[in-house]
Amino acid sequence: MTQTSEAAVVARKPEPMRPRIHRAWFVAAVAFVTIIGAAAFRSLPGLLIDPLHQEFGWSRGTIGAAVSVNLALYGLTAPFAAALMDRFGIRRVVAGALTVIAIGSGATVWMTAAWQLLLCWGLLVGLGSGSMALAFAATVTNRWFTERRGLVTGILTAASASGQLIFLPVLSWIVETHDWRPAAVTVSLAALAVVPFVWLLLRDHPADVGLKPYGAKEFVPKPAPVPGAARRAVGVLFSAVRTGPFWLLAGTFAICGASTNGLIQTHFVPAAHDHGMPITAAASLLAVIGVFDVVGTVASGWFTDRFDARRLLAVYYALRGVSLLFLPMLLAPSVHPPMIFFIVFYGLDWVATVPPTMALCREHYGEDSAIVFGWVLASHQVGAAAVAFAGGVARDVFGSYDVMWYASGALCAAAALMALVIRRGRAL
């Protein structure tokens, strides 16, 4: 064989086969399953308000206070967890958080006093779930993807709704049939079951497996661990609060939390039960919200990759506000077509706000965007906590939740206006 023909053979030699599916998608899948496991406990509070009230005689305001502690810590822990992930890695922080959730949920079966509810349900589960909140999704997205970030954000955000879809009907049946304690144990076991997947399959950075982030043109070395996680989280906050977009994003997201986790997720089931609807039927409606939330959130991620995030937020908040104003007229002993329309409509909009909010954080705050989003998420949960408590008090004082539906609808209208005045950031 001549030298020329040998060179031709070498030239035609095929390159080593590369995986058709980038490792980033497998990491996103593990994150999706992890968030589903953590969502199990967040499906439970609305189902337990009436059983705890009946067994222990605690007021709905007292039970709502425990829910509000949980929701507030879920948000306030997030920015510190994002910084801890930079320091110790995603895998260690998330595995530890799931273990804390399991301990807090399991310990509730032995409680006999309201302070124990605040400790287990409020403090432990709040800290655990906050450590793997949406700041976790933001960290995974920022590290593993440079393209399709909006879509991935939508998928990971939808994981929470998927968890609700999976666990709500099961937990409501367990509460109705066997009592609330087996439901709490179910949640604890679900959180523990996810830990091995996290430890074995999740990786902190593409460089750990010698890959570029999905869509990146160049290899990105793994950054060195960042010491002083708490100091960094607080430093990023002090820097962000000096900018106008932070306050607008935090304000709109506080209203988002108030009108979703604080109001609907916590109080929809007892409110529907007040009108004669069985708990299992009301819980099933919340699960249907979860079905359409998956569709709406993934679609919102797709829209965020293509359209102005500020205008998307304005549309989402305006539509949500209108739907809440009609809800008091739709509650009845049975499920009828207008209620189904509300569930579908509201479900599509449930957390569709997350992808555009994350995108705006990236536009304005760059490498610190995951921590900034953690603080924005903290405002989301503070808003949710305030309404979870206020809803319980309103029910004790007025005998119904009507005032909360109307007030939340008005707040959503204000959020739509706030979203429109957020200035544009730099494209990333």
Side-chain angles (χ1 to χ4, degrees):
M1 184 179 292
T2 65
Q3 187 174 359
T4 303
S5 60
E6 289 178 358
V9 171
V10 172
R12 290 194 302 270
K13 186 178 180 181
E15 295 182 0
M17 291 291 290
R18 293 183 179 181
R20 292 186 177 181
I21 302 177
H22 194 284
R23 179 68 176 267
W25 294 107
F26 292 103
V27 172
V30 174
F32 185 90
V33 173
T34 302
I35 296 172
I36 286 177
F41 192 87
R42 296 179 58 211
S43 303
L44 197 56
L47 302 178
L48 299 190
I49 291 178
D50 285 338
L52 293 177
H53 173 70
Q54 292 167 7
E55 178 171 338
F56 297 106
W58 300 334
S59 72
R60 291 176 175 83
T62 298
I63 300 169
V67 177
S68 70
V69 170
N70 174 282
L71 293 172
L73 286 175
Y74 177 85
L76 293 171
T77 305
F80 296 97
L84 284 171
M85 289 175 190
D86 288 340
R87 176 67 179 89
F88 298 106
I90 298 173
R91 193 166 50 162
R92 292 179 180 177
V93 173
V94 173
L98 284 165
T99 304
V100 171
I101 290 174
I103 292 171
S105 178
T108 58
V109 301
W110 292 291
M111 66 184 179
T112 56
W115 68 266
Q116 295 165 345
L117 177 67
L118 286 165
L119 174 65
C120 296
W121 192 347
L123 180 63
L124 291 179
V125 177
L127 289 173
S129 57
S131 296
M132 47 171 302
L134 291 175
F136 164 51
T139 302
V140 169
T141 303
N142 290 348
R143 290 186 182 184
W144 282 88
F145 294 85
T146 59
E147 292 182 357
R148 303 290 188 268
R149 281 178 167 175
L151 176 63
V152 175
T153 299
I155 292 171
L156 294 182
T157 304
S160 181
S162 300
Q164 177 176 290
L165 165 65
I166 293 168
F167 288 104
L168 258 177
V170 175
L171 294 175
S172 65
W173 177 81
I174 292 173
V175 170
E176 188 102 335
T177 308
H178 299 289
D179 193 22
W180 63 269
R181 287 179 177 83
V185 172
T186 300
V187 167
S188 180
L189 294 177
L192 280 178
V194 181
V195 174
F197 290 95
V198 170
W199 195 254
L200 296 174
L201 301 176
L202 195 62
R203 291 295 179 268
D204 294 329
H205 196 277
D208 289 341
V209 289
L211 292 175
K212 297 181 292 186
Y214 179 82
K217 303 244 186 316
E218 298 179 356
F219 183 81
V220 178
K222 182 177 180 178
V226 181
R231 184 171 64 252
R232 185 183 177 212
V234 174
V236 169
L237 173 64
F238 284 160
S239 177
V241 296
R242 292 195 284 269
T243 65
F246 175 82
W247 291 105
L248 291 169
L249 289 169
T252 55
F253 224 40
I255 293 172
C256 178
S259 56
T260 53
N261 302 86
L263 185 64
I264 295 294
Q265 188 165 11
T266 304
H267 294 294
F268 177 81
V269 171
H273 190 55
D274 283 347
H275 287 76
M277 185 179 294
I279 289 178
T280 50
S284 297
L285 289 177
L286 268 186
V288 174
I289 285 179
V291 175
F292 288 95
D293 180 23
V294 173
V295 177
T297 308
V298 174
S300 177
W302 188 86
F303 290 143
T304 301
D305 286 332
R306 290 160 176 80
F307 301 107
D308 187 340
R310 302 168 303 162
R311 293 180 181 177
L312 289 175
L313 283 179
V315 171
Y316 296 157
Y317 285 120
L319 293 176
R320 183 184 300 174
V322 170
S323 66
L324 286 172
L325 293 176
F326 282 96
L327 181 57
M329 296 178 279
L330 304 179
L331 292 169
S334 60
V335 179
H336 46 86
M339 173 58 80
I340 295 175
F341 179 79
F342 168 83
I343 293 297
V344 173
F345 187 85
Y346 191 87
L348 290 171
D349 197 9
W350 176 270
V351 285
T353 55
V354 173
T357 301
M358 279 191 185
L360 289 168
C361 286
R362 281 194 295 269
E363 283 184 18
H364 287 280
Y365 304 105
E367 293 182 356
D368 290 331
S369 62
I371 296 177
V372 172
F373 179 75
W375 286 113
V376 172
L377 178 63
S379 72
H380 180 282
Q381 295 308 117
V382 169
V387 170
F389 176 69
V393 172
R395 174 61 177 79
D396 289 335
V397 173
F398 301 111
S400 78
Y401 290 98
D402 287 359
V403 66
M404 299 305 300
W405 310 130
Y406 296 132
S408 294
L411 285 174
C412 287
L417 295 175
M418 292 166 65
L420 289 174
V421 300
I422 299 173
R423 64 178 173 83
R424 295 202 63 119
R426 63 185 185 278
L428 293 176

